[in-house]
Amino acid sequence: MTAPARSNRNVLRRVVGFLGEYPLIVAGLLLFFVFAAIQPHFITGSNVVNILIQASVLLIAGTGATFIVMTGGIDLSVGALMFLGAAILSSTLFGVLPPLVALLLVPIVTMIFGSLNGLAVAYAGVPAMIVTLASLQVFRGIGGHVTEQRSFIIPDGLRVAGEGNWLGIPAPIVIAAIVVILGAYVLRRTRLGRFVQAVGSSRSAAANAGLPVGWVLVAVYAIGGLLAGVAMVVQLGRLGAVQPTLDSGFELTVITAVVLGGTSLDGGRGGVIGTALGALILTIVENGLVLTGASPYIFDIVRGVVLLAALLTSGAPRRLLSWIKRDREEVLDTPLNGPSLH
Amino acid sequence: MKLRSTLGIAIGTLAIVGMLAGCSTATTSKPVGASEKDKLTIGVSFDLLNDIRNAELDAIKAAAKAKGDTIDFVSADQDAQKQASQIQDLIQSKSVDAVIVIAVNSDQIASSVALAKAKSVPFIAIDRAIADAGNVTFQITGDPIADGGLAAKEALAASGDRTIIQLVGALTDQNAVGRRDGFTKEIEAGGGTVAAQVPTDWDLTKALDGTANALQANPAINTIFIPSDYLLPSVESALKAAGRLAPVGDPKHVFLVTIDGDPNGCKAIEAKLLDSDVVTPIGQFGVQAIDAAHVAHSGKKPSPATAAVPGFVINQANQASESSKTWGCAS
Amino acid sequence: MLHHTLTFRTIAFSLPKKVILNDAPDPDNAPETGGVAVDLRNVTKSFGGVSAVRGVTFAIAPGEVVALAGENGAGKSTIKNLIGGILRADSGDINVFDAPQSSGVAGLRAQGVSTIHQEISLFPHLSVAENVLINRLGQYSSFNVSQRRLIRDATPYLERVGAHFPPSTLVADLSTGQAQLVEIAKALADDPRVVVFDEPTSSLNLAERERVLTLVEDLRDTGVAVLYIGHSLDEIFRISDRVVVMRDGAVVGDEATFDLTRSSLEQLMVGRELAEGYPALEKPGETIALRVRAVSDDFVHDIELEVHEGEIFGLAGLMGAGRTEAARAIFGLSTATGTVEVQGRAVRRNDPRAAIRAGIAFVTEDRRDEGIFLERPIRETLTVVSLDGLLRVPFLGLIDRKAERAAAASQAETLRVSARAGLEAQGGSLSGGNQQKVVLSKWLSTNPRVLILDEPTRGIDVGAKAEIYRILARLASESLAILLISSEMEEVLGMSHRIGVMSGGRLVGTLDRAEADQAKLIRLATGGAL
């Protein structure tokens, strides 16, 4: 191979490598252009703000779920936990508290409930799917009991996280951005994040290396619970009302965003940024469908097709990458005289 | 020793018998208005619980109390299969004298209707019409098409050019479909058009995001049809976020019309945020359902077997006179 | 390394080569069908760059029993899987009755090749009869497979292997030995012309073993070609006509059985240059680094041993003798009783984290699932146990990326890990040898005083093996105490100061390097006395 050919190939490898890590960027851009071509309003600044606001709840809850899925777990109770948070916030018990205190307490309460999931998964040895399926019922039941299955209007004082504007940016966007950035940072750059990846990659390897596996599992479900509470505070702020069926089925949307973002359900591989892209794509689809005036009857079809297409195209850069890398085999296995690390 | 213990048993037995006797004396001696036979145990099965259902349940309970009936209530959490099992339990295990049902799904309820018929238990459907209406003892519902039409007339009566968006409930709910069709038909008959439909699946978040998106796509929107009061907070939030929330009379005001007449709607009318609300007669559902149960239990057929009761309008103009009839304003 | 290879080659070439096709020892008895049943010519197979089988050539005639001998990892299983159609050769030809080998297991079955695997491949929730006839179920009515007919049809095969349990029994309810017999009966039900046995007797009791050996002789007498893979030299001498010996993926001997003696066969299998292939070990120190007292759990009993600083203590024994279990108990991965001391200080029991803090490191047998994070960059595996020392703000657990990368790079360099994508290469993309070096580096970053290694060279090619040996010798010279578990006798002999032998969950004897030889180890391992 000649020298320029190799350097061209390296540039290609780097670009494709980046897209290989975040393949959804391609799918997202494609989708964006399609909608923009159909409906010019789609690309206005205010609609982009709209999309970000609408994605905020999913971004926050999805960040928490990413931690859980990264350990090879799953949380089916996230929607129920959010409803529970809303129920608690609307209860008379909380009515006497100053709004800010009440808002800060909700995530703490949901974090405690979330860590109960973690305790069961880590120490009772029950599969996460079963634990959270059971807690889904319990959480929704408690929430229903607290609200007596009635709807509630949320007083304006409790709606800052949904309606506020901080430095000219809508509060949901600010909160979601902070959560996503912080989540990505914790997962990539901290000891806890490293342990999460290690436990998800191989639980027995992590145990053999003396990592506190049980503690890590409790921690991720606690994070999931905390962020479910934060997501709820934002959602309630936006909605201004609680209804008994609030967020039922939301767990599937959350898991869809996580998986679409490239996090493996087996754990170990993936990340928060991928989930964020997944959440944005799901929101863009919903937003685009309404904006382009599509018939409600075809919404589900389009949703499904877009999901499938996103997943299919997301595999393409990886395949391209492995095609570029296919010459590596011979080089890898030269144990003695191979290139050593610098 | 032996004698004493035998004596003890004898005294104990006597005491128990005496207590039982006392009880029965107490009940029989109690004066009765209606005959014992006419006090029914009625099983009530709802599709779900929310404010409207709670109001409907309260109406049924009030009517039952007046007749001295007992209510055995279950809720199916929107699960048709669960509802079928619950009705089976009511009829077969608890042997209720009649069932009052709000079906999760108008078709899937058929097996429960057949079971009630086979066991000769009166089956009374309220609120949501049942596909197999012929086998139902009595059915009383709102008239979703008429209600939708009433809402459309309110929208058309407002002055100026109307750019209308229409929120749509779950497409599997024929009340939602009926309200949508009634509204669309009347708007078109009046020479107007619906600019966009926003599917909500009866979900607050979808209603909020959908309305926000529609306002984004079509800034000229000045009228919104909301098929149930409980989506009203979502629409208000979307208007607020778009800077379009203003009271009635303000030039920025978006004309809002809803259906149900629940407490949210009543408050919004009073607060001059909502223009019109089509009030469903859910109080009547309770009274007529209980009456039908008694008629059927005495061996007669309720007549007519089905009733579809259209709602009435409460709006900014008539709220003083109509609020007393509106169930949402009562609580 | 270079020296090692040369010696090895010299030996390989100096072996007397015999004519491949030999007559059966008893020509009157063996029906002479003529021709060749299975013919391998220059067959080569490698996995991800590690060659498992190199240029293998041999043949099996109808009515002949060929034994395939060699140590673990010599390439016997690969040959079995190539003949059985589970693997495809990278190059070379395999012919079955003068026709090219069909592809796939089903095609080979039609050609008359049956393979009896060591790992049972039965359906546990089907009956014995159904399992025996599983490949022929298609011949029965598709609507109703009559149990009675299945049992009637399966019975002759079961009788032939000496299975004395009802054909209606579920396989899940059988013992391992019984299941092995069903596995053989299933192969017979295909009316094979070539049968490959892979250690068929390892899980059988004496009577069953005898039955199977007689069966092999039966098959031979009816003109079936048999390839018999086994560790037991007794069995090989009893039933085989010819022995093909493999070492490190190549055939190093192909001789008529009656030309061989026990010791000449052993020599072929092990290779006599091995003593020179291992690095010299320095004299261990005086201080006792690891002291294990009366450690017992469900698998091991009363393990007592001491390892000095700078000493390599080999732990030998047969499969299932409890070596791995002993290591896990010492490291605290099981609930064990007894005491473990590191440099005179007791280690809290049954807590691997305490063991790590006390200075014990454990390189497990299953390096892919338990040692390295296959899907993560090797940087993360390298630093995962020593992460606490690489934090910027320890309270928040923020990782100092520069320090981490530097630490990972220096660790990788010390053991000369090679990976094309550098520190960001995924664990799974490395060769076995490099994976093992990553796992070793990971543990060395904790500055351990005691290093436990369980089968550190399994599945690693010869070059990397020699390098691991050199690393171990160097670590010992730096006064690290090493507990080395290995199934390869000569590895234990060549790499240990002292050797403990385990059998039935107990440490049955300890030998000094000077007094130890294979015969003594085997005698102890099989429950004999010295």
Side-chain angles (χ1 to χ4, degrees), chain C residues 382-383 386 390 401-413 423:
Chain C
L382 284 167
T383 56
S386 51
L390 301 169
R401 303 182 77 212
K402 250 191 201 155
E404 189 202 2
R405 219 172 291 141
S410 87
Q411 278 170 248
E413 205 164 353
L423 292 172

Side-chain angles (χ1 to χ4, degrees), chain C residues 178-201:
Chain C
Q178 290 172 325
Q180 183 71 55
L181 293 179
V182 175
E183 185 85 45
I184 297 172
K186 175 179 144 191
L188 295 181
D190 296 334
D191 293 327
R193 295 193 290 166
V194 176
V195 181
V196 180
F197 285 95
D198 185 12
E199 299 196 31
T201 58

